[in-house]
Amino acid sequence: MSLPNTPVIASRTFTYMVNEKFRLNPDGQTLVLASGEVLRTTDFAQVATVQGHDAIGFNDDGSQMVALFGHSLIVYDAQRYITTRTFWPDCVQSSSQAKQIVYVAAHDQWVAKYDNKICALSINNRLNPPGQEGSPTPPVPLQPVSLPVTTQVVFTPLNQGGTTILAAEIDRQRGVLYLGGRRNMAGEVAVLSLADLSTIATIPLPSIREPLSLALNDAGDRLYVNQDGDGHRLEVVNTLTHSLLAPLAYPTDLFGTGYGLMDAKWIGNDKLLMTTRSNGELVTMATLDVLTGTGVRIADGAARFSPGQKLFISSDRTTAITNGFLNQTGSRLERIDLTQPIPRVVGTRANDELDGATFGMFGPGDDLMYFSGGIVVNPQTLMLAGFTGEGMQIPTPDGSTVYVLNRTRETLSVFDARTYQLRALYSVTGCFGQTVFAQLGTNSRDIVWTAGAGVCRVTVP
């Protein structure tokens, strides 16, 4: 040191850092770069990653961080750096760039400065604009309003040798719902009218095992039934005659150490994408040409996946998302590019904030994914985009509303799909059993879901 009492310096050279902005957490433990890197202050080692942003701010005790990026406002747990909520405040045009955001502890409000505008908001009191008395919209009632629920038992109940419905497929164009279950100790596919949930036909299956997945082709005339991966084949149903055709066999060595299929989904071009189960070992995933019976492993077999994964296919059939909730490494999502002759994994993310990515679906335009844990995910980045409430999420086609069916509490919540604010709460009782399928029925206010050995429906006011 050239001078007495000169402070000791800790430093790290960043070869890529040019005019990088950063903010220090008030607790003094971490600092956050605009690129999204979170560094430990003691040695500047990277300890976490968040969304890149235009501006960030912390509350006084450093427990919460708010980031502004474009038109979005992302709220983080600033101790674990995981996303808790995402909002799109009605403040500025998406082309405006945020310059600064600060926390005003006296009023529990955040003030954001954009190119030519200043906005103030409260995250904990979102319905009351700062500086204005009252609320612009009536508060949501604390007690849910009861809605009448239609129930229909389809298969033999579990206590009578039946099973819980584990597979369903909907064909809105033809007004049909297909359910896989078991009746009198035998596997079966039931065909229901979407209009009134009456049973149109039942199709007995050759095995006693219940179907784990159903996949309908684009023409709607073939239904591929995964009957617990029985015999390295899928049963094929002619949906026009409600009869079984010759089974579709797949190569016995297609999945290596697999112990039978877990999920199979239609991906277009006469192909299915299939996952398998195992005794805990990582497994392969493959596509199957239904015309030739030829299988192609994802990434030529180089990629390995958690056993028991579920598949979610985009409406344009270009992307598949798989979950890894059975993986010992924690909550995990993977994105597969289906446009190549040999599909490959092009994105992977494992993070505690993805906990709850169990059952899900793509939203309108395939821009977002909605999972049963209440989380909303960007399918391109696999980053958390928002949060509604725990339960099966059902987005409407116009992108305005998300319904959340919580079978534990027997409630149906209605959220604004843009702000994730709760708009209404209903009680939907009298329909018991495990739910693995919940979607819109004949219109945007008609909700149909499976429960145990039956199916239920409700109409939202």
Side-chain angles (χ1 to χ4, degrees):
M1 296 295 179
S2 59
L3 295 174
N5 301 318
T6 299
V8 176
I9 296 175
S11 67
R12 175 185 168 193
T13 300
F14 295 82
T15 57
Y16 55 85
M17 182 184 290
V18 179
N19 298 324
E20 181 81 68
K21 297 180 292 183
F22 68 89
R23 286 295 299 272
L24 179 69
N25 190 317
D27 66 9
Q29 302 299 311
T30 53
L31 58 88
V32 184
L33 306 184
S35 60
E37 291 184 66
V38 181
L39 308 181
R40 188 167 51 213
T41 54
T42 55
D43 56 4
F44 300 127
Q46 184 175 352
V47 295
T49 302
V50 298
Q51 173 73 52
H53 49 267
D54 300 322
I56 57 170
F58 291 89
N59 64 355
D60 281 3
D61 64 6
S63 62
Q64 187 178 70
M65 182 182 82
V66 171
L68 300 176
F69 180 68
H71 200 206
S72 62
L73 183 151
I74 309 170
V75 183
Y76 290 91
D77 177 331
Q79 298 302 302
R80 297 182 294 166
Y81 288 102
I82 63 173
T83 309
T84 58
R85 296 293 296 269
T86 299
F87 302 101
W88 284 267
D90 187 14
C91 178
V92 294
Q93 298 297 322
S94 58
S95 58
S96 298
Q97 184 177 14
K99 302 297 184 182
Q100 186 181 13
I101 183 167
V102 295
Y103 178 66
V104 183
H107 300 284
D108 188 25
Q109 294 171 2
W110 297 82
V111 179
K113 180 181 182 300
Y114 291 82
D115 288 330
N116 59 353
K117 196 171 186 178
I118 292 177
C119 303
L121 59 96
S122 172
I123 294 173
N124 296 321
N125 187 18
R126 298 190 300 278
L127 296 183
N128 291 288
Q132 300 181 28
E133 296 183 358
S135 171
T137 56
V140 176
L142 296 179
Q143 295 298 324
V145 177
S146 180
L147 291 180
V149 179
T150 301
T151 63
Q152 183 70 45
V153 176
V154 179
F155 297 104
T156 308
L158 186 62
N159 60 4
Q160 299 178 26
T163 186
T164 295
I165 295 171
L166 298 179
E169 184 74 290
I170 193 168
D171 186 352
R172 291 190 188 86
Q173 182 177 349
R174 298 163 186 81
V176 173
L177 177 64
Y178 299 98
L179 301 175
R182 190 165 60 180
R183 189 189 312 274
N184 300 324
M185 300 302 293
E188 182 180 278
V189 171
V191 186
L192 275 62
S193 166
L194 200 54
D196 59 8
L197 301 184
S198 61
T199 299
I200 299 173
T202 58
I203 305 161
L205 299 173
S207 170
I208 65 171
R209 298 177 178 179
E210 66 272 24
L212 292 182
S213 65
L214 303 175
L216 187 69
N217 68 353
D218 290 329
D221 60 356
R222 295 292 184 270
L223 183 72
Y224 297 90
V225 183
N226 165 29
Q227 203 170 5
D228 200 19
D230 193 36
H232 295 95
R233 71 183 196 183
L234 294 100
E235 303 303 330
V236 184
V237 174
N238 182 331
T239 61
L240 304 180
T241 61
H242 301 142
S243 60
L244 280 177
L245 301 175
L248 173 63
Y250 60 88
T252 57
D253 60 349
L254 186 59
F255 296 108
T257 59
Y259 289 88
L261 291 184
M262 176 65 190
D263 200 6
K265 288 290 190 294
W266 186 258
I267 59 173
N269 297 319
D270 299 315
K271 292 179 181 178
L272 294 165
L273 179 64
M274 305 188 299
T275 66
T276 187
R277 299 172 290 113
S278 75
N279 198 28
E281 306 93 339
L282 294 179
V283 297
T284 56
M285 191 181 299
T287 63
L288 181 68
D289 189 311
V290 300
L291 300 182
T292 65
T294 304
V296 175
R297 293 181 179 179
I298 303 303
D300 256 348
R304 290 292 187 270
F305 303 89
S306 302
Q309 286 186 311
K310 300 292 288 183
L311 294 169
F312 312 103
I313 312 299
S314 61
S315 62
D316 61 7
R317 306 287 200 263
T318 63
T319 301
I321 300 293
T322 69
N323 61 10
F325 67 97
L326 294 181
N327 195 324
Q328 297 297 318
T329 61
S331 301
R332 180 183 180 91
L333 290 176
E334 293 173 287
R335 181 164 61 92
I336 299 174
D337 181 1
L338 299 176
T339 63
Q340 303 300 318
I342 301 177
R344 296 186 179 278
V345 177
V346 293
T348 300
R349 184 164 184 255
N351 195 290
D352 287 344
E353 71 181 20
L354 297 177
D355 185 28
T358 309
F359 299 101
M361 68 176 69
F362 279 86
D366 298 327
D367 294 331
L368 294 171
M369 286 198 68
Y370 298 85
F371 288 100
S372 55
I375 61 175
V376 184
V377 174
N378 182 320
Q380 295 301 312
T381 64
L382 304 181
M383 297 290 290
L384 197 65
F387 183 86
T388 56
E390 186 176 352
M392 305 284 278
Q393 296 192 79
I394 310 164
T396 57
D398 63 2
S400 66
T401 303
V402 179
Y403 301 113
V404 179
L405 179 69
N406 188 304
R407 295 296 304 119
T408 302
R409 298 187 179 93
E410 294 188 301
T411 59
L412 178 69
S413 304
V414 183
F415 286 86
D416 185 308
R418 183 169 172 270
T419 64
Y420 301 116
Q421 291 187 355
L422 181 65
R423 295 305 189 197
L425 181 64
Y426 299 102
S427 172
V428 287
T429 60
C431 195
F432 305 102
Q434 179 183 356
T435 297
V436 298
F437 170 92
Q439 289 197 27
L440 295 177
T442 57
N443 58 65
S444 294
R445 294 186 177 275
D446 177 35
I447 300 174
V448 178
W449 70 94
T450 59
V455 63
C456 310
R457 95 175 325 146
V458 69
T459 301
V460 183

